[in-house]
């Protein structure tokens, strides 16, 4: 792609961008939210028409009008939200719309389709029965099915948009093996991700976009991490994690032998002004423990004490009354009401305080929301904008903000910076730090070890529903955490 | 952003523009149409559907549906007439009738919220049950001659400062419900629940309670509609309100409220009910046979939804 420019309603979102992928190369496309990555990829696949520049496939200029045309030229996209129909089988998903039939009859040649599905899945080195209904697969497996589907379309260039966002660590390993295989088959891969560690691990080259401009391309080998970050944000970011100076106070919450069908005998303490990091593999039960503390999941036994008093939490409203806020892992499904405005989302947890006798006060609501937008530096065209159209980072700020509205004493954050660009990430860390200075206790679940190590005062490691280690800030390191997370003694 | 907000405004004004277009066409084709008497007539005719549709708006905003409103209307109307026939004071009978409607609605709400049954199925069942109860209670015959109370007559037939009483009731209730939806915590929770139930629960919204209230409200409004109808006809027929639920849903949809919940407004529903009423009335004035009227009505609904699709895509 050469000199690509694109404007929307007079707003230039891409400015003479160059981008190339060689066959057998894994090429990372980096950029903060809104830098123009998705637009560039949509131009590549024919969803958008370009204003200027040209797209060449194997040296040949092309003008795709739609994704069907780009698919025919061997370009496939694996979207962040997978295009899988849950009630159809793996095989039916793979051949959807181009089922193999007996000649020209409408009858499906099932045997042939099974055979072909196995062949393509086999090329990826994954074993999935083609007759399994897709809904029974894990997200990682579903992704494999999509990649296999791309192969069956003879894809020579596969674009992967945030492919690891919903995967467990083990599934990520598997994905990387598959990407390696694709590379050795001569397939080019565009790898879009925010996770720098992964990019350095799997990619050959990195291209950076910023504010719609092409900044540069570097070979991963010999690339300087700091330089890439500088290219990405266009400024010195300084240290990502703020200095933690908060003095940890007395015990705020005590959890005593909490058990459910997923976790057992979970006991820990949380102190005033403390950030308690919770690490562990995905599926270890971290989120489930927090859901239970928040009254969103049933517990079989165990007690919770807040400020020394036993507190019964049977539903989220009880938790809110006890001063607990919960920033859930899945922003779109559990955090936000996407059809509502920035204003309505900010106040959903704390409407009572913005009302007089159950009648919402415009003044109180607007004052609160304006304050939050300012405090969080939310980039929006106004408080009436629908949250759906905001970037991931800004959406996350709203989810955190809506919990600050209840003046929480305890704030639980589940993967607070997932899918958030690095600038917003830093802002979120800053806010967490400020909150603890005001005495708020924070529990932070995170799968990003640098984040856990950078922010936590104390770290709990969960393994198969139990606490397998408790580490202080100064004794913890990545190895110790991984050791405990994978069940080492 | 500008372009988007323009589309949004168009989407909001769409139903109103549609209504105006129909009114202009009809007033050209039929001079009587714009007579004050005729306009009051239209408003009185739609008041019953409008009350059902107001409740339906709440239900649909939560992402549900209520097919039982027509049957609730009939059962509550019959019960009210029966109460009066047995000598209960008319005002008390009306009150009891509305409460009975609210209880029927609450029954729907409990089944849907606590029993976790899809609203379509739950209210399809209660639609049949309430209709059956009406037939049992009335023994299949209209209840007539149950009262000579002037006060009860006023509800359906009376005028207040020259305006039909049902029309006044419709507008007063509209104003109250508009306030509830726009200004109260409950109204906000209705929208939130329809937009994302899981996020609402996690934000501390008591979603089951909201659901039960919404269906109870719809039941009470349906009962009130049934009482107005009973008063106007001087009779409570067992088949009263038959298929009214479909007109109510049509009014809500014409008004631009999304059937998937979370988006919509009650002002649109009022406009939607007016579109249906104006069409009925205008086609009658023009002497179009009722068979053709149905086709036109259906066509208008389709057109409205298709236009809405165009705008939102």
């Amino acid at each position: 792609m050469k000199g690509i420019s694109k404007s929307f309603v007079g707003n230039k979102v891409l400015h003479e961008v160059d981008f190339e992928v060689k066959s057998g190369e894994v090429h990372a496309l980096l950029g903060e939210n809104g830098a123009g990555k998705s637009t560039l990829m949509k131009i590549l696949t024919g969803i958008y028409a370009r204003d200027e520049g040209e797209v060449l496939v194997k040296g040949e200029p092309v003008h795709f009008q739609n994704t069907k045309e780009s698919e025919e030229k061997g370009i496939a996209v694996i979207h962040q939200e997978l295009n899988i129909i849950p009630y159809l089988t793996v095989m039916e998903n793979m051949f959807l719309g181009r089922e193999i039939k007996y000649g020209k009859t409408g009858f499906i040649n099932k045997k042939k389709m099974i055979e072909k599905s196995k062949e393509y899945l086999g090329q990826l080195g994954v074993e999935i029965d083609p007759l399994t209904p897709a809904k029974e697969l894990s997200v990682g497996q579903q992704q494999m099915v999509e990649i296999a589907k791309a192969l069956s379309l003879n894809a020579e260039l596969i674009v992967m948009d945030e492919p690891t966002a919903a995967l467990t660590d083990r599934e990520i390993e598997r994905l990387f093996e598959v990407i390696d295989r694709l590379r050795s088959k001569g397939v080019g891969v565009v790898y879009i991700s925010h996770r720098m560690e992964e990019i350095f691990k799997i990619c050959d080259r990195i291209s950076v976009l910023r504010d719609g401009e092409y900044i540069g391309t570097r070979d991963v080998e010999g690339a300087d991490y700091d330089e890439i970050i500088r290219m990405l944000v266009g400024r010195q970011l300084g240290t990502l994690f703020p200095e933690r100076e908060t003095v940890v106070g007395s015990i705020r919450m005590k959890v005593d032998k909490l058990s459910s069908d997923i976790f057992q005998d979970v006991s820990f303490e949380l102190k005033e002004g403390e950030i308690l990091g919770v690490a562990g593999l995905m599926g270890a039960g971290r989120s489930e423990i927090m859901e239970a503390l928040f009254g969103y999941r049933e517990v079989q036994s165990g007690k919770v004490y807040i400020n020394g008093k036993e507190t019964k939490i049977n539903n989220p409203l009880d938790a809110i009354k006890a001063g607990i806020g919960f920033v859930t892992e899945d922003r779109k499904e559990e955090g936000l009401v996407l059809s509502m405005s920035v204003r309505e989302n900010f106040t959903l947890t704390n409407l009572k305080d913005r009302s007089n006798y159950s009648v919402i006060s415009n003044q109180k609501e607007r004052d609160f929301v304006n304050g939050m937008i300012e405090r969080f530096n939310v980039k929006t065209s106004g408080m009436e904008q629908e949250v759906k159209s905001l970037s991931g980072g800004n959406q996350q700020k709203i989810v955190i903000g809506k919990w600050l509205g209840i003046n929480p004493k305890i704030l639980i954050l589940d993967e607070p910076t997932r899918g958030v660009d690095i600038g917003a990430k830093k802002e979120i860390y800053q806010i967490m730090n400020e909150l603890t200075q005001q005495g708020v206790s924070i529990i932070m679940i995170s799968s990003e070890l640098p984040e856990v190590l950078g922010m936590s005062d104390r770290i709990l490691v969960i393994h198969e529903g139990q606490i397998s280690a408790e580490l202080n800030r100064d004794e913890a390191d990545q190895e110790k955490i991984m050791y405990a997370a994978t069940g080492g003694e | 952003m500008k372009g988007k907000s323009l589309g949004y405004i168009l989407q909001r004004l769409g139903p109103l523009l549609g209504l105006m277009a129909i009114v202009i066409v009809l007033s050209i084709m039929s001079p009587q149409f714009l007579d004050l008497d005729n306009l009051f007539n239209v408003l009185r005719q739609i008041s019953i559907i409008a009350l059902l549709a107001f409740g339906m708006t709440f239900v649909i905003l939560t992402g549900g549906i209520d097919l039982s409103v027509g049957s609730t209307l009939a059962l509550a109307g019959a019960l009210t007439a029966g109460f009066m026939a047995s000598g209960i004071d008319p005002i008390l009978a009306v009150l009891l009738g509305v409460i009975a409607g609210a209880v029927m609605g609450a029954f729907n709400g409990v089944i849907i919220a606590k029993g976790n049954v899809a609203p379509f199925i739950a209210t399809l069942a209660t639609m049949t049950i309430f209709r059956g109860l009406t037939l049992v209670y009335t023994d299949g015959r209209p209840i007539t001659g149950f009262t000579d109370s002037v006060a009860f007559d006023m509800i359906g037939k009376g005028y207040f400062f020259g305006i039909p009483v049902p029309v006044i009731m419709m507008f007063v209730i509209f104003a109250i419900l508009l306030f509830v939806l726009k200004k109260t915590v409950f109204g906000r929770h209705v929208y939130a629940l329809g937009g994302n139930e899981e996020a609402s629960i996690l934000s501390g919204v008591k979603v089951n309670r909201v659901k039960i209230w919404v269906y109870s409200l719809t039941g009470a409004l349906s009962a009130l509609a049934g009482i107005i109808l009973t008063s106007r006809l001087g009779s409570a027929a067992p088949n009263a309100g038959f298929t009214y639920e479909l007109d109510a849903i049509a009014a809500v949809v014409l008004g631009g409220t999304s059937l998937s919940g979370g988006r919509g407004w009650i002002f649109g529903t009022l406009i939607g009910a007016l579109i249906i009423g104006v069409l009925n009335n205008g086609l009658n004035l023009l002497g179009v046979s009722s068979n053709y009227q149905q086709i036109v009505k259906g066509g208008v609904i389709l057109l409205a939804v298709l236009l809405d699709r165009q705008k939102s895509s």
Side-chain angles (χ1 to χ4, degrees):
Chain A
M1 304 180 84
K2 274 191 206 158
I4 302 287
S5 296
K6 174 75 186 169
S7 302
F8 290 115
V9 235
N11 201 350
K12 203 152 198 175
V13 292
L14 285 181
H15 188 78
E16 292 178 15
V17 171
D18 299 327
F19 183 64
E20 61 157 34
V21 187
K22 297 175 189 160
S23 56
E25 173 190 50
V26 181
H27 197 136
L29 184 56
L30 259 180
E32 296 194 273
N33 290 332
K37 292 167 300 184
S38 330
T39 311
L40 188 67
M41 288 304 112
K42 281 178 180 165
I43 287 171
L44 174 68
T45 52
I47 296 174
Y48 293 155
R50 55 190 181 267
D51 298 342
E52 285 168 42
E54 53 182 346
V55 180
L56 303 166
V57 176
K58 296 187 202 158
E60 216 182 288
V62 288
H63 292 272
F64 299 133
Q65 302 295 322
N66 51 49
T67 50
K68 189 140 197 168
E69 288 182 23
S70 56
E71 259 173 25
E72 277 163 15
K73 285 280 181 187
I75 299 174
V77 182
I78 313 292
H79 291 282
Q80 202 174 343
E81 267 112 42
L82 299 170
N83 287 319
I84 291 278
I85 301 174
Y87 297 103
L88 295 185
T89 62
V90 167
M91 165 187 96
E92 285 162 339
N93 268 295
M94 276 179 68
F95 288 98
L96 192 65
R98 37 189 200 93
E99 290 81 3
I100 302 172
K101 297 168 197 151
Y102 289 105
K104 294 214 163 174
T105 66
F107 297 105
I108 286 172
N109 187 341
K110 207 168 160 184
K111 219 166 130 191
K112 190 86 181 283
M113 271 168 66
I114 296 176
E115 202 177 286
K116 281 277 171 195
S117 314
K118 277 192 177 151
E119 183 191 324
Y120 290 118
L121 288 164
Q123 285 181 17
L124 298 177
V126 288
E127 271 186 40
I128 300 173
D129 179 358
L131 294 177
T132 323
K135 68 176 157 72
E136 287 173 17
L137 302 180
S138 69
V139 182
Q141 286 175 316
Q142 291 182 0
Q143 200 173 47
M144 293 304 157
V145 172
E146 282 227 37
I147 296 173
K149 181 178 176 178
L151 282 185
S152 74
L153 283 161
N154 294 317
E156 292 177 73
L157 177 65
I158 300 182
V159 179
M160 297 187 185
D161 189 3
E162 296 273 358
T164 56
L167 299 191
T168 63
D169 292 356
R170 220 165 297 158
E171 284 171 330
I172 291 173
E173 285 301 318
R174 172 67 63 77
L175 176 70
F176 286 176
E177 284 167 24
V178 166
I179 291 177
D180 263 335
R181 271 176 192 252
L182 292 174
R183 178 170 19 213
S184 58
K185 279 169 61 76
V187 175
V189 175
V190 178
Y191 191 91
I192 301 176
S193 175
H194 286 300
R195 298 189 181 173
M196 296 294 276
E197 271 178 277
E198 289 176 5
I199 287 169
F200 275 86
K201 194 165 167 192
I202 191 72
C203 296
D204 303 305
R205 286 196 295 169
I206 302 175
S207 285
V208 179
L209 294 185
R210 185 175 74 229
D211 301 329
E213 293 197 48
Y214 170 71
I215 304 300
T217 300
R218 298 284 181 276
D219 285 327
V220 166
E221 218 175 286
D224 176 14
Y225 184 88
D226 290 337
E227 187 199 353
I228 301 283
I229 296 286
R230 265 199 307 283
M231 288 165 72
L232 196 59
V233 295
R235 57 182 186 270
Q236 286 283 10
L237 199 64
T239 45
L240 189 56
F241 303 106
E243 194 72 34
R244 297 270 308 135
E245 293 166 342
T246 309
V247 184
V248 169
S250 53
I251 293 172
R252 163 82 33 87
M253 177 164 79
K254 187 166 176 280
V255 177
D256 188 26
K257 293 199 169 153
L258 207 61
S259 297
S260 83
D261 45 349
I262 301 205
F263 51 85
Q264 298 83 37
D265 289 335
V266 171
S267 304
F268 64 90
E269 287 170 355
L270 177 68
K271 300 192 182 80
E272 212 177 294
E274 179 182 43
I275 296 182
L276 179 64
V278 179
L281 301 178
M282 224 167 284
R286 297 172 302 172
S287 300
E288 286 80 0
I289 295 169
M290 297 311 146
E291 284 170 7
L293 284 179
F294 195 66
Y296 192 56
R297 172 180 290 276
E298 261 182 57
V299 289
Q300 286 160 349
S301 60
K303 286 176 179 158
V304 175
Y305 302 86
I306 293 176
N307 292 330
K309 262 202 336 216
E310 190 183 342
T311 311
K312 288 248 185 272
I313 297 172
N314 295 318
N315 54 53
L317 197 57
D318 288 348
I320 292 169
K321 282 178 183 154
I324 305 177
F326 185 20
V327 175
T328 46
E329 184 180 3
D330 190 333
R331 244 189 327 269
K332 288 181 180 160
E333 294 292 325
E334 302 168 337
L336 295 167
V337 182
L338 290 175
S339 56
M340 288 179 126
S341 64
V342 170
R343 168 176 58 86
E344 290 165 320
N345 272 289
F346 259 131
T347 54
L348 191 56
T349 55
N350 52 77
L351 266 183
K352 280 252 148 63
D353 296 332
R354 318 293 154 225
S355 314
N356 307 315
Y357 305 104
S358 286
V359 176
I360 300 163
S361 152
N362 268 347
Q363 190 67 38
K364 284 187 193 171
E365 188 175 28
R366 272 158 212 285
D367 287 350
F368 169 72
V369 175
N370 275 326
M372 279 295 164
I373 288 177
E374 204 169 311
R375 176 168 180 192
F376 280 86
N377 186 25
V378 180
K379 293 187 187 76
T380 144
S381 63
M383 65 170 80
E384 300 305 326
Q385 188 179 358
E386 280 192 10
V387 289
K388 196 161 61 180
S389 53
L390 297 179
S391 71
N394 284 308
Q395 288 183 343
Q396 188 68 352
K397 289 175 183 175
I398 292 174
V399 181
I400 298 175
K402 82 173 190 181
W403 287 112
L404 297 197
I406 68 164
N407 294 319
K409 299 280 169 293
I410 298 162
L411 188 61
I412 305 171
L413 302 163
D414 195 350
E415 303 286 359
T417 63
R418 169 169 296 173
V420 164
D421 65 57
I422 202 152
K425 230 177 195 180
K426 194 176 171 186
E427 286 173 319
I428 289 172
Y429 295 144
Q430 209 76 51
I431 288 159
M432 287 169 66
N433 204 28
E434 281 167 29
L435 287 173
T436 54
Q437 281 160 7
Q438 293 154 16
V440 177
S441 310
I442 291 180
I443 302 177
M444 178 188 69
I445 300 183
S446 175
S447 296
E448 283 187 48
L449 289 182
E451 177 171 283
V452 174
L453 290 165
M455 289 302 294
S456 312
D457 299 312
R458 209 153 43 95
I459 298 164
L460 295 180
V461 187
I462 311 290
H463 171 66
E464 289 180 357
Q466 284 175 317
I467 295 176
S468 58
E470 183 178 337
L471 304 162
N472 277 321
R473 185 189 181 95
D474 28 311
E475 58 172 334
D477 59 34
Q478 297 216 5
E479 264 169 48
K480 278 185 191 152
I481 293 176
M482 278 321 290
Y483 198 62
T486 50
E489 282 304 307
Chain B
M1 279 309 128
K2 282 241 168 74
K4 197 180 169 194
S5 59
L6 186 71
Y8 180 73
I9 290 164
L10 270 180
Q11 191 154 352
R12 284 242 139 163
L13 286 182
L16 195 57
L17 294 174
L19 175 64
M20 280 159 66
I22 295 170
V23 166
I24 290 168
V25 170
L26 285 176
S27 57
I28 292 168
M29 290 177 75
S30 165
Q32 305 117 283
F33 179 74
L34 281 182
D35 282 357
L36 200 59
D37 277 351
N38 187 51
L39 291 181
F40 276 146
N41 196 18
V42 171
L43 288 173
R44 194 173 49 203
Q45 281 167 358
I46 67 158
S47 58
I48 286 166
I49 290 299
L51 289 180
L52 300 183
F54 291 162
M56 192 71 78
T57 308
F58 277 74
V59 168
I60 288 179
L61 279 174
T62 64
I65 194 100
D66 188 346
L67 300 177
S68 73
V69 291
S71 302
T72 305
L73 175 154
L75 182 52
L79 284 172
T80 309
F83 292 153
M84 282 184 284
S86 68
I88 295 175
D89 177 70
I91 293 171
L92 185 62
V94 166
L95 207 64
L96 289 175
V98 172
I99 291 172
V103 170
M104 289 181 243
F107 183 70
N108 282 332
V110 169
I111 291 174
I112 289 161
K114 304 275 180 189
N116 220 356
V117 178
F120 187 95
I121 305 295
T123 60
L124 183 67
T126 56
M127 171 177 90
T128 317
I129 294 170
F130 296 161
R131 182 66 66 186
L133 286 171
T134 314
L135 285 163
V136 170
Y137 184 72
T138 61
D139 208 10
R141 286 185 297 270
I143 306 177
T144 50
F146 40 78
T147 183
D148 45 17
S149 153
V150 180
F152 186 73
D153 257 13
M154 281 288 284
I155 296 174
K157 298 181 203 156
Y159 286 83
F160 197 68
F161 292 112
I163 305 169
V165 171
V167 175
I168 295 173
M169 286 171 49
M170 173 178 79
F171 280 115
V172 169
I173 288 170
F174 169 74
I176 295 170
L177 296 180
L178 182 69
F179 177 81
V180 169
L181 266 186
K182 289 285 267 186
K183 285 277 152 203
T184 65
V185 174
F186 174 72
R188 184 71 61 80
H189 285 174
V190 167
Y191 278 99
L193 162 59
N196 186 341
E197 182 162 354
E198 211 174 334
S200 301
I201 297 172
L202 282 162
S203 296
V205 176
K206 291 268 190 187
V207 297
N208 284 348
R209 201 177 289 177
V210 174
K211 283 183 192 171
I212 293 169
W213 274 113
V214 161
Y215 285 92
S216 306
L217 171 73
T218 304
L221 289 171
S222 307
L224 188 59
I227 290 162
I228 293 173
L229 189 66
T230 306
S231 161
R232 210 163 104 206
L233 302 176
S235 135
N239 65 343
F242 190 63
T243 72
Y244 278 22
E245 60 279 349
L246 300 180
D247 275 346
I249 294 168
V252 175
V253 172
L254 278 174
T257 294
S258 154
L259 275 180
S260 49
R263 283 168 200 273
W265 54 335
I266 198 162
F267 180 70
T269 301
L270 181 64
I271 302 294
L274 277 168
I275 290 176
I276 292 176
V278 164
L279 268 182
N280 278 339
N281 176 269
L283 295 172
N284 274 333
L285 286 180
L286 293 173
V288 177
S289 103
S290 63
N291 300 346
Y292 283 102
Q293 288 191 17
Q294 302 225 12
I295 300 173
V296 174
K297 245 164 68 180
V300 167
I301 294 171
L302 268 185
L303 189 71
V305 176
L306 285 174
L307 282 174
D308 200 49
R309 271 288 138 73
Q310 291 273 292
K311 270 175 283 169
S312 46
S313 66

